[in-house]
Amino acid sequence: MRKLLYISLTTAVVFLSSCSKDDFEDAYGNPSTVETTTVPKQFAGFMKINFEDVIPSYWNYFTVLRSTSLTYTQGHGFTNLSGRYVSGAATVYRWDRFYKFITQYRELEKVMASLPVAKQTENRIYTITSTIYLYDHTSKMIDNFGDIPFSQAGKISSTGGNYAAALAKYDNQTELYTMMLDQLKAFSAELNSITLSANVTLEFKNQDLINKGNLVSWKNYCNSLRLKLLNRVSAVPAFAARANTEIAAIIASGEIVDENSENIAFRVYTQDTDLDTSGFFDAMEGGNNIAPKPMIDHMNANNDPRQPWLFEKGSRIVSNVVIVAPTYEGLDPMLASGDQEQLITDGKIAIYNRSVISRNDWLPGTLINAAEVNLILAEYYSRTGNASSAKTYFEKAIRQSVEYYVRLGDRADDTTWKPTTEPTTAEIDAYIATINFAGATTPAAQLELIAFQKYIHYNMMQVDESWAEQRRLKLPALPFREDETSSVRKTPPTRWTYPTSESVYNGDNYNAVKANDNLSTKIFWDIK
């Protein structure tokens, strides 16, 4: 564990919509200079420090995802430059951000432990919900890196600043998944019976930056996260029976994110705080908003109603004169970089919609949404031999995905590129009929359709999920041009490598996992 000295936060925002940016900055003091905190304040500070991992931001998209997962998934079109399949320094930022985040969680644990037992019980909701949120992001770290420091990580404050004592071992990724699934299951049951005092109800609502104190939303979040993690490990022999049994129980409970109105997200409520999409415009439109060919080709062939909401047409321009009518064309990943760059320079390649996506100051930071949940259910029913239910949830997910992207445009500040008409029911029905899930008569054929819908729905908005699913399923089967100039990696990797700082600052613990620290080692659920 790196030497992180982030201790605690002073106060938290009461209602984001009523705060100015100055108020917000005053409320969130520099965590390294603050000496006192409370459970509610620390809870909000823990959530806030991680917001750039969730809300679309310059930091996450430009410094991390642009050169890693967005390329590996073809969530955007990219030029075939040398070294494009080597994760390099980009992953350092995500690593450091996570350990600032987990350090704040340890401070919450520390403050909670300092309370009398009765007060710990009264404030139990903060432990449950903070841990759900922690596990969501911990699972992403495991999915990207494999074994990670966790159980002993972030405890520099608890050791009294003793750096050597705070060095953290790497926990086994399979054991971490097991622990998270066990605790999330327990939290789900506990949320059914927990009661909050009037004081905690008010404070929790004020400090909860995600669900505003709504316990039903937290229960849905918890179970939908369980659903996602169980599905991810469903092909691992040690998890297979558990995955299908617990997924069936979760479905029976009905306590999941099933409609777009129930989506879990880190929402932007005002432009007067730093909890916004500031910088996302620069991150995307600096050459990272190029449309990928596989997605565009599918949309063209099947009249996908999401296409104008996700993308803008390109047109060849020479000397400021349009010489080809605008069309949807994605960047071919098999072309040489020079040919790709010329197409981009000429303006022929489609780009992500600027009104709906890159210039939309109100984009939410998605955590769990209905379309992804119902695509998971479609996969589960297909896997367990229920093709009829798989079809039902597959088609429901498509309808929800269309609605999701149309509704993203509702608050667009710049409507220059926003479509003027919404997709009709008939157009959506026609697209679903063209995809023809019923015509896929085997689980393998059904899975191909499900995987491609995940690819479209996740696109560049949920890149971590897209990369994990593509590695797990080996679908969709996307073409990649080999990087013949690289002696390290010629095709997309199967994991990120650890920051070099780990071998310097945490050498003994790093040495225990060093043999697996390469771009070819698979994550434990990647078994196809």
Side-chain angles (χ1 to χ4, degrees), residues 259-301:
E259 302 294 341
N260 278 327
S261 61
E262 300 167 337
N263 289 347
I264 308 298
F266 212 136
R267 292 177 174 84
V268 177
Y269 292 97
T270 174
Q271 299 298 318
D272 292 330
T273 77
D274 64 353
L275 292 177
D276 59 28
T277 60
S278 176
F280 186 56
F281 163 89
D282 291 330
M284 284 293 292
E285 295 190 26
N288 304 310
N289 61 348
I290 302 299
K293 180 177 172 60
M295 197 177 297
I296 291 294
D297 285 354
H298 169 92
M299 290 179 160
N300 286 339

mmCIF file of all heavy atoms in Angstrom, residues 259-301:
data_model
loop_
_atom_site.group_PDB
_atom_site.id
_atom_site.type_symbol
_atom_site.label_atom_id
_atom_site.label_comp_id
_atom_site.label_asym_id
_atom_site.label_seq_id
_atom_site.Cartn_x
_atom_site.Cartn_y
_atom_site.Cartn_z
ATOM 1 N N GLU A 259 -36.379 -1.230 -13.459
ATOM 2 C CA GLU A 259 -36.877 -0.188 -14.357
ATOM 3 C C GLU A 259 -35.917 0.995 -14.321
ATOM 4 O O GLU A 259 -35.206 1.201 -13.334
ATOM 5 C CB GLU A 259 -38.277 0.265 -13.941
ATOM 6 C CG GLU A 259 -39.324 -0.837 -13.905
ATOM 7 C CD GLU A 259 -39.643 -1.410 -15.275
ATOM 8 O OE1 GLU A 259 -39.329 -0.733 -16.279
ATOM 9 O OE2 GLU A 259 -40.207 -2.523 -15.340
ATOM 10 N N ASN A 260 -35.911 1.795 -15.379
ATOM 11 C CA ASN A 260 -35.009 2.942 -15.433
ATOM 12 C C ASN A 260 -35.260 3.935 -14.304
ATOM 13 O O ASN A 260 -34.344 4.651 -13.889
ATOM 14 C CB ASN A 260 -35.122 3.641 -16.786
ATOM 15 C CG ASN A 260 -34.281 2.965 -17.859
ATOM 16 O OD1 ASN A 260 -33.209 2.424 -17.573
ATOM 17 N ND2 ASN A 260 -34.747 2.985 -19.094
ATOM 18 N N SER A 261 -36.484 3.977 -13.804
ATOM 19 C CA SER A 261 -36.786 4.872 -12.681
ATOM 20 C C SER A 261 -36.067 4.448 -11.405
ATOM 21 O O SER A 261 -35.966 5.226 -10.456
ATOM 22 C CB SER A 261 -38.294 4.909 -12.429
ATOM 23 O OG SER A 261 -38.782 3.610 -12.102
ATOM 24 N N GLU A 262 -35.541 3.226 -11.392
ATOM 25 C CA GLU A 262 -34.847 2.687 -10.213
ATOM 26 C C GLU A 262 -33.333 2.690 -10.371
ATOM 27 O O GLU A 262 -32.617 2.203 -9.488
ATOM 28 C CB GLU A 262 -35.325 1.255 -9.954
ATOM 29 C CG GLU A 262 -36.805 1.143 -9.696
ATOM 30 C CD GLU A 262 -37.323 -0.286 -9.752
ATOM 31 O OE1 GLU A 262 -36.670 -1.140 -10.401
ATOM 32 O OE2 GLU A 262 -38.381 -0.543 -9.155
ATOM 33 N N ASN A 263 -32.821 3.204 -11.490
ATOM 34 C CA ASN A 263 -31.380 3.184 -11.739
ATOM 35 C C ASN A 263 -30.605 3.802 -10.580
ATOM 36 O O ASN A 263 -31.038 4.791 -9.984
ATOM 37 C CB ASN A 263 -31.047 3.947 -13.022
ATOM 38 C CG ASN A 263 -31.507 3.207 -14.268
ATOM 39 O OD1 ASN A 263 -31.852 2.030 -14.221
ATOM 40 N ND2 ASN A 263 -31.524 3.896 -15.395
ATOM 41 N N ILE A 264 -29.450 3.215 -10.296
ATOM 42 C CA ILE A 264 -28.571 3.717 -9.244
ATOM 43 C C ILE A 264 -27.433 4.480 -9.897
ATOM 44 O O ILE A 264 -26.722 3.950 -10.757
ATOM 45 C CB ILE A 264 -27.998 2.561 -8.392
ATOM 46 C CG1 ILE A 264 -29.123 1.657 -7.877
ATOM 47 C CG2 ILE A 264 -27.167 3.121 -7.241
ATOM 48 C CD1 ILE A 264 -30.125 2.326 -6.979
ATOM 49 N N ALA A 265 -27.278 5.736 -9.495
ATOM 50 C CA ALA A 265 -26.273 6.578 -10.149
ATOM 51 C C ALA A 265 -25.806 7.676 -9.205
ATOM 52 O O ALA A 265 -26.515 8.057 -8.273
ATOM 53 C CB ALA A 265 -26.843 7.196 -11.421
ATOM 54 N N PHE A 266 -24.623 8.154 -9.454
ATOM 55 C CA PHE A 266 -24.087 9.343 -8.799
ATOM 56 C C PHE A 266 -24.529 10.509 -9.683
ATOM 57 O O PHE A 266 -23.926 10.791 -10.705
ATOM 58 C CB PHE A 266 -22.567 9.260 -8.743
ATOM 59 C CG PHE A 266 -21.941 9.920 -7.553
ATOM 60 C CD1 PHE A 266 -20.917 9.294 -6.854
ATOM 61 C CD2 PHE A 266 -22.361 11.168 -7.127
ATOM 62 C CE1 PHE A 266 -20.324 9.903 -5.761
ATOM 63 C CE2 PHE A 266 -21.775 11.783 -6.036
ATOM 64 C CZ PHE A 266 -20.753 11.147 -5.346
ATOM 65 N N ARG A 267 -25.627 11.153 -9.311
ATOM 66 C CA ARG A 267 -26.246 12.147 -10.183
ATOM 67 C C ARG A 267 -25.673 13.542 -9.968
ATOM 68 O O ARG A 267 -25.204 13.876 -8.884
ATOM 69 C CB ARG A 267 -27.753 12.159 -9.972
ATOM 70 C CG ARG A 267 -28.435 10.883 -10.460
ATOM 71 C CD ARG A 267 -29.917 10.871 -10.187
ATOM 72 N NE ARG A 267 -30.544 9.702 -10.796
ATOM 73 C CZ ARG A 267 -30.581 8.496 -10.226
ATOM 74 N NH1 ARG A 267 -30.030 8.315 -9.034
ATOM 75 N NH2 ARG A 267 -31.158 7.479 -10.842
ATOM 76 N N VAL A 268 -25.751 14.335 -11.022
ATOM 77 C CA VAL A 268 -25.360 15.737 -10.959
ATOM 78 C C VAL A 268 -26.621 16.549 -10.692
ATOM 79 O O VAL A 268 -27.553 16.541 -11.499
ATOM 80 C CB VAL A 268 -24.708 16.188 -12.280
ATOM 81 C CG1 VAL A 268 -24.368 17.676 -12.224
ATOM 82 C CG2 VAL A 268 -23.449 15.368 -12.564
ATOM 83 N N TYR A 269 -26.664 17.253 -9.559
ATOM 84 C CA TYR A 269 -27.848 18.008 -9.179
ATOM 85 C C TYR A 269 -27.689 19.511 -9.410
ATOM 86 O O TYR A 269 -28.668 20.242 -9.482
ATOM 87 C CB TYR A 269 -28.176 17.770 -7.701
ATOM 88 C CG TYR A 269 -28.627 16.354 -7.413
ATOM 89 C CD1 TYR A 269 -27.731 15.395 -6.941
ATOM 90 C CD2 TYR A 269 -29.946 15.972 -7.622
ATOM 91 C CE1 TYR A 269 -28.144 14.101 -6.682
ATOM 92 C CE2 TYR A 269 -30.366 14.676 -7.368
ATOM 93 C CZ TYR A 269 -29.468 13.738 -6.898
ATOM 94 O OH TYR A 269 -29.866 12.452 -6.642
ATOM 95 N N THR A 270 -26.467 19.966 -9.494
ATOM 96 C CA THR A 270 -26.219 21.393 -9.669
ATOM 97 C C THR A 270 -24.859 21.573 -10.326
ATOM 98 O O THR A 270 -23.976 20.702 -10.203
ATOM 99 C CB THR A 270 -26.240 22.139 -8.319
ATOM 100 O OG1 THR A 270 -25.866 23.499 -8.506
ATOM 101 C CG2 THR A 270 -25.283 21.499 -7.319
ATOM 102 N N GLN A 271 -24.683 22.684 -11.005
ATOM 103 C CA GLN A 271 -23.394 23.005 -11.606
ATOM 104 C C GLN A 271 -22.555 23.888 -10.680
ATOM 105 O O GLN A 271 -21.491 24.372 -11.068
ATOM 106 C CB GLN A 271 -23.602 23.725 -12.942
ATOM 107 C CG GLN A 271 -24.363 22.886 -13.966
ATOM 108 C CD GLN A 271 -23.641 21.606 -14.349
ATOM 109 O OE1 GLN A 271 -22.425 21.602 -14.551
ATOM 110 N NE2 GLN A 271 -24.367 20.500 -14.420
ATOM 111 N N ASP A 272 -23.022 24.057 -9.441
ATOM 112 C CA ASP A 272 -22.347 24.950 -8.498
ATOM 113 C C ASP A 272 -21.417 24.220 -7.538
ATOM 114 O O ASP A 272 -20.918 24.805 -6.585
ATOM 115 C CB ASP A 272 -23.385 25.740 -7.686
ATOM 116 C CG ASP A 272 -24.146 26.725 -8.557
ATOM 117 O OD1 ASP A 272 -23.552 27.211 -9.534
ATOM 118 O OD2 ASP A 272 -25.321 26.993 -8.264
ATOM 119 N N THR A 273 -21.218 22.928 -7.725
ATOM 120 C CA THR A 273 -20.259 22.177 -6.917
ATOM 121 C C THR A 273 -19.275 21.492 -7.855
ATOM 122 O O THR A 273 -19.440 21.522 -9.077
ATOM 123 C CB THR A 273 -20.955 21.118 -6.041
ATOM 124 O OG1 THR A 273 -21.313 20.005 -6.863
ATOM 125 C CG2 THR A 273 -22.182 21.673 -5.351
ATOM 126 N N ASP A 274 -18.281 20.835 -7.287
ATOM 127 C CA ASP A 274 -17.354 20.112 -8.163
ATOM 128 C C ASP A 274 -17.815 18.676 -8.417
ATOM 129 O O ASP A 274 -17.117 17.893 -9.048
ATOM 130 C CB ASP A 274 -15.924 20.138 -7.612
ATOM 131 C CG ASP A 274 -15.777 19.407 -6.284
ATOM 132 O OD1 ASP A 274 -16.805 18.988 -5.709
ATOM 133 O OD2 ASP A 274 -14.632 19.279 -5.813
ATOM 134 N N LEU A 275 -19.011 18.321 -7.950
ATOM 135 C CA LEU A 275 -19.588 17.030 -8.294
ATOM 136 C C LEU A 275 -20.330 17.160 -9.626
ATOM 137 O O LEU A 275 -21.553 17.119 -9.705
ATOM 138 C CB LEU A 275 -20.554 16.566 -7.193
ATOM 139 C CG LEU A 275 -19.921 16.196 -5.854
ATOM 140 C CD1 LEU A 275 -20.983 15.820 -4.848
ATOM 141 C CD2 LEU A 275 -18.931 15.054 -6.023
ATOM 142 N N ASP A 276 -19.565 17.339 -10.679
ATOM 143 C CA ASP A 276 -20.151 17.539 -11.992
ATOM 144 C C ASP A 276 -19.256 16.922 -13.054
ATOM 145 O O ASP A 276 -18.252 16.285 -12.746
ATOM 146 C CB ASP A 276 -20.384 19.029 -12.261
ATOM 147 C CG ASP A 276 -19.102 19.853 -12.181
ATOM 148 O OD1 ASP A 276 -18.019 19.290 -12.443
ATOM 149 O OD2 ASP A 276 -19.181 21.051 -11.860
ATOM 150 N N THR A 277 -19.632 17.113 -14.313
ATOM 151 C CA THR A 277 -18.885 16.516 -15.425
ATOM 152 C C THR A 277 -17.834 17.463 -15.995
ATOM 153 O O THR A 277 -17.436 17.322 -17.151
ATOM 154 C CB THR A 277 -19.852 16.088 -16.541
ATOM 155 O OG1 THR A 277 -20.561 17.246 -17.001
ATOM 156 C CG2 THR A 277 -20.851 15.056 -16.054
ATOM 157 N N SER A 278 -17.386 18.394 -15.198
ATOM 158 C CA SER A 278 -16.391 19.354 -15.649
ATOM 159 C C SER A 278 -15.173 18.634 -16.224
ATOM 160 O O SER A 278 -14.604 17.744 -15.605
ATOM 161 C CB SER A 278 -15.970 20.246 -14.474
ATOM 162 O OG SER A 278 -14.944 21.132 -14.863
ATOM 163 N N GLY A 279 -14.785 19.002 -17.411
ATOM 164 C CA GLY A 279 -13.619 18.410 -18.054
ATOM 165 C C GLY A 279 -13.944 17.254 -18.982
ATOM 166 O O GLY A 279 -13.099 16.834 -19.778
ATOM 167 N N PHE A 280 -15.173 16.716 -18.886
ATOM 168 C CA PHE A 280 -15.515 15.572 -19.731
ATOM 169 C C PHE A 280 -15.511 15.958 -21.214
ATOM 170 O O PHE A 280 -15.129 15.166 -22.066
ATOM 171 C CB PHE A 280 -16.879 15.025 -19.314
ATOM 172 C CG PHE A 280 -17.263 13.754 -20.018
ATOM 173 C CD1 PHE A 280 -16.445 12.643 -19.976
ATOM 174 C CD2 PHE A 280 -18.456 13.668 -20.723
ATOM 175 C CE1 PHE A 280 -16.788 11.469 -20.621
ATOM 176 C CE2 PHE A 280 -18.816 12.498 -21.372
ATOM 177 C CZ PHE A 280 -17.984 11.401 -21.319
ATOM 178 N N PHE A 281 -15.938 17.180 -21.491
ATOM 179 C CA PHE A 281 -15.913 17.697 -22.863
ATOM 180 C C PHE A 281 -14.508 17.566 -23.456
ATOM 181 O O PHE A 281 -14.319 17.054 -24.557
ATOM 182 C CB PHE A 281 -16.372 19.162 -22.851
ATOM 183 C CG PHE A 281 -16.035 19.945 -24.089
ATOM 184 C CD1 PHE A 281 -16.893 19.970 -25.165
ATOM 185 C CD2 PHE A 281 -14.850 20.665 -24.178
ATOM 186 C CE1 PHE A 281 -16.583 20.698 -26.313
ATOM 187 C CE2 PHE A 281 -14.531 21.396 -25.307
ATOM 188 C CZ PHE A 281 -15.408 21.411 -26.381
ATOM 189 N N ASP A 282 -13.498 18.046 -22.725
ATOM 190 C CA ASP A 282 -12.121 17.976 -23.221
ATOM 191 C C ASP A 282 -11.642 16.538 -23.334
ATOM 192 O O ASP A 282 -10.902 16.193 -24.261
ATOM 193 C CB ASP A 282 -11.196 18.761 -22.291
ATOM 194 C CG ASP A 282 -11.433 20.256 -22.357
ATOM 195 O OD1 ASP A 282 -11.839 20.738 -23.428
ATOM 196 O OD2 ASP A 282 -11.213 20.940 -21.340
ATOM 197 N N ALA A 283 -12.042 15.702 -22.390
ATOM 198 C CA ALA A 283 -11.610 14.307 -22.409
ATOM 199 C C ALA A 283 -12.137 13.579 -23.636
ATOM 200 O O ALA A 283 -11.425 12.786 -24.262
ATOM 201 C CB ALA A 283 -12.077 13.594 -21.139
ATOM 202 N N MET A 284 -13.374 13.846 -24.002
ATOM 203 C CA MET A 284 -13.996 13.143 -25.123
ATOM 204 C C MET A 284 -13.626 13.744 -26.473
ATOM 205 O O MET A 284 -13.276 13.020 -27.415
ATOM 206 C CB MET A 284 -15.520 13.172 -24.960
ATOM 207 C CG MET A 284 -16.034 12.199 -23.928
ATOM 208 S SD MET A 284 -15.782 10.483 -24.419
ATOM 209 C CE MET A 284 -16.905 10.358 -25.809
ATOM 210 N N GLU A 285 -13.700 15.051 -26.563
ATOM 211 C CA GLU A 285 -13.563 15.674 -27.877
ATOM 212 C C GLU A 285 -12.116 15.944 -28.269
ATOM 213 O O GLU A 285 -11.856 16.556 -29.305
ATOM 214 C CB GLU A 285 -14.428 16.935 -27.937
ATOM 215 C CG GLU A 285 -15.911 16.589 -27.826
ATOM 216 C CD GLU A 285 -16.832 17.748 -28.126
ATOM 217 O OE1 GLU A 285 -16.432 18.664 -28.869
ATOM 218 O OE2 GLU A 285 -17.963 17.743 -27.603
ATOM 219 N N GLY A 286 -11.195 15.458 -27.469
ATOM 220 C CA GLY A 286 -9.792 15.521 -27.854
ATOM 221 C C GLY A 286 -9.398 14.307 -28.665
ATOM 222 O O GLY A 286 -8.291 13.772 -28.520
ATOM 223 N N GLY A 287 -10.309 13.834 -29.507
ATOM 224 C CA GLY A 287 -10.017 12.678 -30.363
ATOM 225 C C GLY A 287 -10.482 11.360 -29.797
ATOM 226 O O GLY A 287 -10.172 10.295 -30.360
ATOM 227 N N ASN A 288 -11.250 11.395 -28.709
ATOM 228 C CA ASN A 288 -11.674 10.152 -28.065
ATOM 229 C C ASN A 288 -13.158 9.868 -28.250
ATOM 230 O O ASN A 288 -13.704 8.975 -27.605
ATOM 231 C CB ASN A 288 -11.350 10.213 -26.570
ATOM 232 C CG ASN A 288 -9.890 10.484 -26.324
ATOM 233 O OD1 ASN A 288 -9.031 9.824 -26.885
ATOM 234 N ND2 ASN A 288 -9.599 11.481 -25.497
ATOM 235 N N ASN A 289 -13.814 10.629 -29.118
ATOM 236 C CA ASN A 289 -15.243 10.453 -29.340
ATOM 237 C C ASN A 289 -15.551 9.801 -30.682
ATOM 238 O O ASN A 289 -16.659 9.890 -31.204
ATOM 239 C CB ASN A 289 -15.970 11.801 -29.247
ATOM 240 C CG ASN A 289 -15.476 12.801 -30.292
ATOM 241 O OD1 ASN A 289 -14.453 12.585 -30.937
ATOM 242 N ND2 ASN A 289 -16.206 13.895 -30.446
ATOM 243 N N ILE A 290 -14.559 9.113 -31.239
ATOM 244 C CA ILE A 290 -14.705 8.495 -32.553
ATOM 245 C C ILE A 290 -15.588 7.242 -32.458
ATOM 246 O O ILE A 290 -15.450 6.436 -31.535
ATOM 247 C CB ILE A 290 -13.321 8.108 -33.117
ATOM 248 C CG1 ILE A 290 -12.424 9.349 -33.216
ATOM 249 C CG2 ILE A 290 -13.451 7.420 -34.467
ATOM 250 C CD1 ILE A 290 -12.950 10.425 -34.122
ATOM 251 N N ALA A 291 -16.486 7.078 -33.407
ATOM 252 C CA ALA A 291 -17.399 5.934 -33.405
ATOM 253 C C ALA A 291 -16.671 4.661 -33.836
ATOM 254 O O ALA A 291 -15.904 4.669 -34.802
ATOM 255 C CB ALA A 291 -18.568 6.205 -34.346
ATOM 256 N N PRO A 292 -16.916 3.539 -33.143
ATOM 257 C CA PRO A 292 -16.275 2.264 -33.512
ATOM 258 C C PRO A 292 -17.065 1.554 -34.617
ATOM 259 O O PRO A 292 -18.297 1.539 -34.610
ATOM 260 C CB PRO A 292 -16.331 1.467 -32.209
ATOM 261 C CG PRO A 292 -17.548 1.985 -31.491
ATOM 262 C CD PRO A 292 -17.670 3.444 -31.881
ATOM 263 N N LYS A 293 -16.360 0.969 -35.522
ATOM 264 C CA LYS A 293 -16.990 0.338 -36.682
ATOM 265 C C LYS A 293 -17.947 -0.802 -36.335
ATOM 266 O O LYS A 293 -19.061 -0.854 -36.895
ATOM 267 C CB LYS A 293 -15.909 -0.160 -37.653
ATOM 268 C CG LYS A 293 -16.450 -0.846 -38.914
ATOM 269 C CD LYS A 293 -15.310 -1.242 -39.848
ATOM 270 C CE LYS A 293 -15.786 -2.092 -40.997
ATOM 271 N NZ LYS A 293 -16.792 -1.405 -41.831
ATOM 272 N N PRO A 294 -17.599 -1.755 -35.464
ATOM 273 C CA PRO A 294 -18.534 -2.853 -35.205
ATOM 274 C C PRO A 294 -19.897 -2.377 -34.701
ATOM 275 O O PRO A 294 -20.936 -2.913 -35.107
ATOM 276 C CB PRO A 294 -17.813 -3.694 -34.146
ATOM 277 C CG PRO A 294 -16.368 -3.396 -34.353
ATOM 278 C CD PRO A 294 -16.334 -1.952 -34.732
ATOM 279 N N MET A 295 -19.901 -1.376 -33.840
ATOM 280 C CA MET A 295 -21.157 -0.867 -33.307
ATOM 281 C C MET A 295 -21.956 -0.150 -34.391
ATOM 282 O O MET A 295 -23.166 -0.357 -34.536
ATOM 283 C CB MET A 295 -20.882 0.073 -32.123
ATOM 284 C CG MET A 295 -22.085 0.336 -31.242
ATOM 285 S SD MET A 295 -21.684 1.382 -29.808
ATOM 286 C CE MET A 295 -20.502 0.363 -28.928
ATOM 287 N N ILE A 296 -21.267 0.700 -35.159
ATOM 288 C CA ILE A 296 -21.942 1.451 -36.217
ATOM 289 C C ILE A 296 -22.477 0.513 -37.302
ATOM 290 O O ILE A 296 -23.598 0.684 -37.794
ATOM 291 C CB ILE A 296 -20.989 2.495 -36.832
ATOM 292 C CG1 ILE A 296 -20.707 3.611 -35.820
ATOM 293 C CG2 ILE A 296 -21.556 3.056 -38.118
ATOM 294 C CD1 ILE A 296 -21.906 4.471 -35.471
ATOM 295 N N ASP A 297 -21.693 -0.489 -37.679
ATOM 296 C CA ASP A 297 -22.144 -1.425 -38.717
ATOM 297 C C ASP A 297 -23.422 -2.131 -38.283
ATOM 298 O O ASP A 297 -24.352 -2.325 -39.079
ATOM 299 C CB ASP A 297 -21.057 -2.450 -39.027
ATOM 300 C CG ASP A 297 -19.921 -1.870 -39.852
ATOM 301 O OD1 ASP A 297 -20.025 -0.701 -40.282
ATOM 302 O OD2 ASP A 297 -18.912 -2.584 -40.066
ATOM 303 N N HIS A 298 -23.477 -2.549 -37.037
ATOM 304 C CA HIS A 298 -24.685 -3.200 -36.519
ATOM 305 C C HIS A 298 -25.874 -2.240 -36.557
ATOM 306 O O HIS A 298 -26.980 -2.612 -36.974
ATOM 307 C CB HIS A 298 -24.455 -3.671 -35.087
ATOM 308 C CG HIS A 298 -25.711 -4.110 -34.385
ATOM 309 N ND1 HIS A 298 -26.142 -5.413 -34.381
ATOM 310 C CD2 HIS A 298 -26.641 -3.396 -33.680
ATOM 311 C CE1 HIS A 298 -27.292 -5.499 -33.713
ATOM 312 N NE2 HIS A 298 -27.598 -4.284 -33.266
ATOM 313 N N MET A 299 -25.648 -1.026 -36.114
ATOM 314 C CA MET A 299 -26.731 -0.051 -36.080
ATOM 315 C C MET A 299 -27.229 0.274 -37.484
ATOM 316 O O MET A 299 -28.442 0.402 -37.708
ATOM 317 C CB MET A 299 -26.257 1.217 -35.370
ATOM 318 C CG MET A 299 -26.058 1.031 -33.880
ATOM 319 S SD MET A 299 -25.477 2.534 -33.061
ATOM 320 C CE MET A 299 -25.921 2.166 -31.355
ATOM 321 N N ASN A 300 -26.324 0.399 -38.435
ATOM 322 C CA ASN A 300 -26.719 0.661 -39.818
ATOM 323 C C ASN A 300 -27.539 -0.490 -40.397
ATOM 324 O O ASN A 300 -28.553 -0.286 -41.069
ATOM 325 C CB ASN A 300 -25.483 0.883 -40.695
ATOM 326 C CG ASN A 300 -24.835 2.234 -40.468
ATOM 327 O OD1 ASN A 300 -25.459 3.167 -39.968
ATOM 328 N ND2 ASN A 300 -23.567 2.345 -40.825
ATOM 329 N N ALA A 301 -27.083 -1.715 -40.123
ATOM 330 C CA ALA A 301 -27.726 -2.891 -40.707
ATOM 331 C C ALA A 301 -29.096 -3.172 -40.109
ATOM 332 O O ALA A 301 -29.958 -3.779 -40.773
ATOM 333 C CB ALA A 301 -26.825 -4.113 -40.537
#
